[in-house]
Amino acid sequence: MLEQFVAVMPGTLAPALLVMCLSVMLAVGEGRDKPASAHWRLTGLIVGLIAAIVFASLRASAVINQRTFVNYPVLWCAIIADILAIIVVVFARRITTNWQRHKAIMHIANAIAAIDIALTLFYALPDVILQLTIWVEPGDPIFTSDMLLRALGFALGLAMSIIVAAIFRTLRSTAVRASFTAAVLAVMVILFIQHLTGVMQILQAHGFPMGHTAFVALAWSINHNSWMIMAQAFVFLIPAVASVVAGFRMPLTGANEAIGRKHKAFRRRAVASAVWSLVAMIGVTLTLTVGVAATQQTITLSPPEAYSLKDGVATIPFSQVEDGHLHRFEYKAKDGTVMRFIIIKKNGGAYGIGLDACENCGDAGYYEKDGKIICKKCEVAINLATIGFKGGCNPIPFPYKTGNGKITIQTTDLDALSAHFQ
């Protein structure tokens, strides 16, 4: 359950905060006075969610095995949308004030917000949705206590992101608008940096020339992604403090008793919003530190074994892999990518052969524990009988031949799959 929780919450927090921030900054009117384009943000959320579900399904079924092919253009569009959304937030006060006089600008602002929400959800949610595929381990009944705990962890992670965003939203009524706007801008800038990091990571993996400073910045951003997620929560300290200050500056006594009661109520709301916001920040921090540390295990993959490689053919004798244990091998593809593949003799005497990578978790690899083959990233035990078949968290299969006491693999078949290790 904890593994699902700490995997889902960080992946859904940024989209939840983005939806909340843009809805607050562009909120205007009620009923008939509300612009029709205000519903576009909800449309963007629905479209982004549906697209993410479809993309995750295609990845899980191995219809799409190179996610960068889709993510690369999506990230560029998201970066442009982020920049435009930041401009919208900066001028949100002018856009929403007397918006009937400039309806076109209001509609454009809502359109930008809807596009940014859709693109952010489409990029962020597929990895979260793919967590659904590991609720039931291969060969196990569908309804088990482990499955229910995983489902509960998934639901709690999603619920926490929504609750955190809802708590921060309460600050809009007690904080000075400038302080809330500052927090929203910080969230937007961090989101822009996350999207830019994704693009630069893809470019770097494909050999795009990058200066030392840019490479150091990229490495820092990748290694401190958890810090940036926590920062998206902690920036709301700005409106939280502003709320408390505003509340205590209001006089509680005066000539008008009704005004005094109103000020007391405002102070209570301000303090309550600030306290709950602090609780939300602590919850996010504990999830990304203590929670992650509790679920992470330092697993070292076994070293690759030697084998014969001659004239484009890799040869492994049966005697090397017939003990029923996991055997790992390494191969350097024509494009320079270092790949790994695994071989294990299954119970029926056949051999399970595939890449040391899967469609869901990438090139994290597999390890053997208590007679089970386990994915290093998601900790799911792989059914030995399914190794060699596509789908789920199974090792990605490739062609091979057996005979004359050996396994032979054409290196061209491995070369064709090098993208899974890039």
Side-chain angles (χ1 to χ4, degrees), residues 79-97:
I79 287 172
I80 296 172
D82 289 339
I83 295 172
L84 294 176
I86 289 172
I87 296 173
V88 167
V89 170
V90 171
F91 294 99
R93 189 64 177 266
R94 295 183 182 181
I95 293 172
T96 56
T97 301

Side-chain angles (χ1 to χ4, degrees), residues 2-22:
L2 183 59
E3 290 87 348
Q4 294 290 320
F5 178 80
V6 300
V8 171
M9 195 284 289
T12 54
L13 182 60
L17 290 178
L18 176 66
V19 172
M20 181 276 293
C21 289
L22 291 177

Side-chain angles (χ1 to χ4, degrees), residues 47-95:
V47 170
L49 179 59
I50 293 174
I53 293 173
V54 172
F55 184 38
S57 300
L58 293 175
R59 283 174 55 188
S61 60
V63 174
I64 295 179
N65 56 21
Q66 296 186 26
R67 59 182 177 178
T68 57
F69 178 77
V70 175
N71 283 343
Y72 184 67
V74 168
L75 280 169
W76 274 117
C77 293
I79 287 172
I80 296 172
D82 289 339
I83 295 172
L84 294 176
I86 289 172
I87 296 173
V88 167
V89 170
V90 171
F91 294 99
R93 189 64 177 266
R94 295 183 182 181
I95 293 172

Side-chain angles (χ1 to χ4, degrees), residues 41-384:
R41 297 192 301 271
L42 176 60
T43 302
L45 189 152
I46 295 173
V47 170
L49 179 59
I50 293 174
I53 293 173
V54 172
F55 184 38
S57 300
L58 293 175
R59 283 174 55 188
S61 60
V63 174
I64 295 179
N65 56 21
Q66 296 186 26
R67 59 182 177 178
T68 57
F69 178 77
V70 175
N71 283 343
Y72 184 67
V74 168
L75 280 169
W76 274 117
C77 293
I79 287 172
I80 296 172
D82 289 339
I83 295 172
L84 294 176
I86 289 172
I87 296 173
V88 167
V89 170
V90 171
F91 294 99
R93 189 64 177 266
R94 295 183 182 181
I95 293 172
T96 56
T97 301
N98 296 323
W99 66 270
Q100 294 91 345
R101 298 181 181 178
H102 43 261
K103 293 182 180 180
I105 296 177
M106 187 73 211
H107 296 333
I108 292 172
N110 279 320
I112 292 172
I115 293 172
D116 199 31
I117 290 171
L119 292 171
T120 298
L121 263 67
F122 178 70
Y123 175 69
L125 293 190
D127 286 339
V128 174
I129 295 170
L130 284 172
Q131 295 293 319
L132 297 171
T133 64
I134 61 176
W135 283 6
V136 181
E137 296 185 5
D140 286 353
I142 295 178
F143 295 104
T144 64
S145 57
D146 287 341
M147 183 280 289
L148 293 176
L149 287 174
R150 292 189 185 107
L152 180 59
F154 185 97
L156 289 176
L158 178 60
M160 180 173 177
S161 293
I162 296 174
I163 291 171
V164 167
I167 290 174
F168 291 152
R169 184 186 176 91
T170 63
L171 294 170
R172 77 194 189 283
S173 62
T174 56
V176 178
R177 183 181 175 93
S179 65
F180 195 90
T181 301
V184 171
L185 283 173
V187 169
M188 299 294 298
V189 169
I190 294 172
L191 183 64
F192 167 78
I193 293 173
Q194 291 173 324
H195 288 160
L196 182 62
T197 299
V199 167
M200 297 306 294
Q201 197 171 0
I202 294 173
L203 290 174
Q204 193 272 337
H206 287 79
F208 183 81
M210 190 176 298
H212 176 73
T213 301
F215 182 81
V216 171
L218 174 62
W220 186 94
S221 181
I222 294 172
N223 294 330
H224 295 84
N225 184 57
S226 294
W227 289 18
M228 287 193 285
I229 296 174
M230 286 188 285
Q232 286 179 312
F234 271 90
V235 295
F236 285 94
L237 273 175
I238 302 171
V241 172
S243 293
V244 174
V245 171
F248 279 91
R249 279 184 174 179
M250 286 186 170
L252 301 182
T253 58
N256 192 322
E257 185 176 347
I259 293 178
R261 290 196 299 269
K262 183 178 180 180
H263 288 179
K264 287 181 181 179
F266 180 90
R267 179 181 291 185
R268 287 195 298 269
R269 292 200 311 273
V271 172
S273 295
V275 169
W276 279 109
S277 296
L278 184 60
V279 170
M281 296 172 203
I282 293 173
V284 171
T285 302
L286 291 176
T287 299
L288 293 172
T289 53
V290 178
V292 171
T295 58
Q296 284 185 341
Q297 298 179 10
T298 304
I299 303 295
T300 302
L301 297 181
S302 60
E305 302 178 19
Y307 62 97
S308 172
L309 182 60
K310 185 178 181 181
D311 297 329
V313 179
T315 303
I316 298 97
F318 288 165
S319 58
Q320 186 175 351
V321 293
E322 64 182 3
D323 57 4
H325 292 292
L326 178 70
H327 296 267
R328 196 181 325 273
F329 302 90
E330 192 173 270
Y331 168 70
K332 188 173 184 179
K334 277 189 175 181
D335 60 7
T337 302
V338 177
M339 307 173 61
R340 302 184 310 274
F341 61 94
I342 59 174
I343 300 176
I344 184 170
K345 188 174 183 179
K346 298 190 279 190
N347 294 333
Y351 288 91
I353 301 176
L355 296 183
D356 196 20
C358 73
E359 302 291 351
N360 291 349
C361 302
D363 61 353
Y366 302 87
Y367 66 95
E368 184 177 356
K369 181 180 179 182
D370 299 329
K372 295 181 179 180
I373 305 303
I374 301 173
C375 175
K376 181 180 176 182
K377 184 174 182 179
C378 67
E379 295 295 317
V380 163
I382 309 302
N383 187 342
L384 287 181

